[in-house]
């Protein structure tokens, strides 16, 4: 779509109410490649919240420490050992969608004295509290983690850190390694204690998962994650959760807006039962051995110290094995020669 047509379409959606945040033409990685977007109110959470201050909200359920006010939905207060979540009651049967989340993570803790973080979910399960940022482990579906505290002291990441994980129920999120072994891709983002609005967008279209941030008060989307080969079924639920441990923060959701993307699919997709698809990702390598590439593919990560050590160890073992095999072969030849003489 030409730049003028795209901006005109966005303007019409904004006039109609609830349109997506505009993506400037100058952004290096654009979020929208569909023809148009439509807000799906049954999957969206926006002010004024109906049922604020009560134990019930139309279309949304919440649990744990979650508190609904007139200005935000607070998943956890800035207190230790708290967790909370909010979940859409309506399963989503869209094949192509884009979720815009307006959030705020803030608290009194300084330096690394805050935690643990916030998670966004598109999963089969809902309203099940657990150890993964206030929600259950071994889930089915997609999770986007906004992790504010480094549990792994040896990590090379810079926190806060945003990462993506797809699970078919067989994978466990390892908090001690900050989800390193099950991470598909991720990026660093300054999302805590900002004096301006912070946003995150999650887009799923034609097997491609894109995550972008707008946290620098520039009204621009910045590329964070772009992964091809992602398979997610329809009929799952959107939600958000957060958790605190020995350290804490306020984790607030101001809005969650879901847009349907009008994208053409191959004719053979009409014969697929999208509710029966198993969540999966087609990767040539293990997720932990890849880093994000803006093209939607992956490239090998840099050779860190432990990788160099493993390569040298493998090379040394190879030399030893070759030496042993060579010695055995040489000895057998010597014995054979003795029999001839």
């Amino acid at each position: 779509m030409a730049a003028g047509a795209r901006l005109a379409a966005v303007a019409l959606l904004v006039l109609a109410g609830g349109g997506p945040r505009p993506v400037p033409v100058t952004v290096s990685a654009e979020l929208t490649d569909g023809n148009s977007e439509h807000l799906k109110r049954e999957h969206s959470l926006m002010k004024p919240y109906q049922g604020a201050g009560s134990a019930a909200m139309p279309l949304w359920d919440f649990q744990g420490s979650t508190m609904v006010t007139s200005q935000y939905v607070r998943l956890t207060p800035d207190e230790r050992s708290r967790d909370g979540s909010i979940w859409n009651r309506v399963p989503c049967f869209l094949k192509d969608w884009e979720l815009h989340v307006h959030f705020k993570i803030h608290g009194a803790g300084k330096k690394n004295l805050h935690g643990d973080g916030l998670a966004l979910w598109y999963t089969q399960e809902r309203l099940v509290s657990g150890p993964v940022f206030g929600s259950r482990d071994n889930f089915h579906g997609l999770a986007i983690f906004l992790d504010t505290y480094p549990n792994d002291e040896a990590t090379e990441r810079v926190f806060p850190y945003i990462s993506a994980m797809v699970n078919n129920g067989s994978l466990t999120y390892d908090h001690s390694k900050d989800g390193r072994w099950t991470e598909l891709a991720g990026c660093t983002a300054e999302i805590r204690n900002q004096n301006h609005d912070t946003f995150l967008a999650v887009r799923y279209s034609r097997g491609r998962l894109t995550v972008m941030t707008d946290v620098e008060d520039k009204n621009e989307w910045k590329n964070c994650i772009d992964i091809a080969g992602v398979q997610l079924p329809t009929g799952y639920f959107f939600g958000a959760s957060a958790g605190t441990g020995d350290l804490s923060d306020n984790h607030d959701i101001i809005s969650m807006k879901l847009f349907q993307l009008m994208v053409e699919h191959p004719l053979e997709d009409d014969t697929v039962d999208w509710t029966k698809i198993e969540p999966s990702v087609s990767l040539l390598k293990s997720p932990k051995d890849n880093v994000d590439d803006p093209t939607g593919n992956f490239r090998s990560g840099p050779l860190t110290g432990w990788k160099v050590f493993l390569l040298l160890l493998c090379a040394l073992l190879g030399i030893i094995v070759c030496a042993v095999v060579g010695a055995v072969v040489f000895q057998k030849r010597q014995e054979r020669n003795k029999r001839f003489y």
Side-chain angles (χ1 to χ4, degrees):
M1 180 183 295
R6 179 170 59 250
L7 292 176
V10 170
L12 288 173
L13 283 170
V14 172
L15 288 174
R21 289 171 54 77
V23 182
V25 178
T26 56
V27 176
S28 59
E30 293 195 10
L31 203 58
T32 300
D33 62 13
N35 296 320
S36 61
E37 302 77 35
H38 302 280
L39 178 70
K40 305 300 289 183
R41 294 188 179 276
E42 66 270 30
H43 301 301
S44 298
L45 175 70
M46 298 176 292
K47 292 188 290 186
Y49 312 118
Q50 298 182 32
S54 70
M57 290 180 67
L59 303 178
W60 293 83
D61 292 318
F62 56 92
Q63 67 171 4
S65 60
T66 301
M67 177 180 64
V68 182
T69 74
S70 61
Q71 297 300 313
Y72 53 79
V73 176
R74 177 153 292 171
L75 301 175
T76 72
D78 191 0
E79 300 174 5
R80 298 168 62 181
S81 302
R82 305 294 292 273
D83 65 73
S85 65
I86 186 165
W87 289 88
N88 191 210
R89 293 179 182 173
V90 183
C92 178
F93 291 97
L94 303 177
K95 298 179 194 173
D96 305 271
W97 49 263
E98 185 169 299
L99 178 68
H100 291 195
V101 182
H102 182 187
F103 68 95
K104 189 172 183 64
I105 300 176
H106 58 107
K110 304 297 182 181
K111 194 70 175 175
N112 286 333
L113 300 178
H114 53 265
D116 286 325
L118 184 151
L120 303 172
W121 305 92
Y122 175 67
T123 57
Q124 184 181 55
E125 305 84 4
R126 61 187 295 272
L127 281 175
V128 182
S129 61
V132 185
F133 300 95
S135 194
R136 64 164 289 170
D137 206 347
N138 300 104
F139 58 92
H140 295 76
L142 168 70
I144 307 295
F145 301 122
L146 287 68
D147 194 347
T148 58
Y149 182 78
N151 292 288
D152 184 4
E153 296 180 356
T155 184
E156 298 175 357
R157 299 172 177 172
V158 178
F159 281 71
Y161 189 82
I162 300 174
S163 63
M165 176 180 175
V166 171
N167 198 352
N168 62 1
S170 65
L171 301 177
T172 298
Y173 181 87
D174 187 354
H175 266 291
S176 65
K177 295 296 182 181
D178 301 307
R180 171 78 176 179
W181 310 128
T182 50
E183 172 199 330
L184 296 175
C187 72
T188 297
E190 292 296 332
I191 56 177
R192 185 180 178 273
N193 274 354
Q194 297 286 9
N195 294 323
H196 51 264
D197 291 334
T198 49
F199 300 87
L200 184 139
V202 183
R203 173 188 171 88
Y204 178 68
S205 180
R206 290 181 296 196
R208 185 166 185 169
L209 176 69
T210 307
V211 178
M212 302 189 79
T213 61
D214 178 4
V215 298
E216 298 176 354
D217 201 23
K218 295 181 179 179
N219 196 32
E220 292 182 355
W221 291 115
K222 183 178 180 181
N223 190 53
C224 176
I225 298 169
D226 198 349
I227 308 170
V230 178
Q231 293 294 317
L232 295 175
T234 59
Y236 281 12
F237 298 90
F238 288 101
S241 69
T244 65
D246 293 335
L247 303 174
S248 62
D249 255 337
N250 297 300
H251 296 93
D252 300 340
I253 297 290
I254 293 103
S255 69
M256 297 175 67
K257 299 179 182 179
L258 187 77
F259 301 93
Q260 179 180 8
L261 302 177
M262 307 308 291
V263 178
E264 292 186 0
H265 282 260
L267 293 177
E268 54 266 26
D269 283 0
D270 293 338
T271 63
V272 176
D273 186 350
W274 291 84
T275 64
K276 303 297 184 183
I277 294 175
E278 183 177 81
S280 62
V281 183
S282 301
L283 293 177
L284 295 178
K285 298 182 179 181
S286 171
K288 66 179 181 294
D289 293 327
N290 293 281
V291 293
D292 185 46
D293 179 67
T295 63
N297 299 312
F298 287 87
R299 60 180 184 271
S300 297
L303 287 178
T304 55
W306 68 271
K307 287 184 179 179
V308 173
F309 172 76
L310 288 177
L311 286 174
L312 292 176
L313 181 61
C314 290
L316 180 60
L317 290 175
I319 293 172
I320 293 174
V321 170
C322 291
V324 171
V325 172
V328 171
V329 172
F330 178 77
Q331 184 177 3
K332 288 186 176 181
R333 286 184 177 178
Q334 289 291 96
E335 292 176 354
R336 189 185 309 151
N337 291 337
K338 287 180 181 179
R339 284 197 294 267
F340 281 111
Y341 294 100

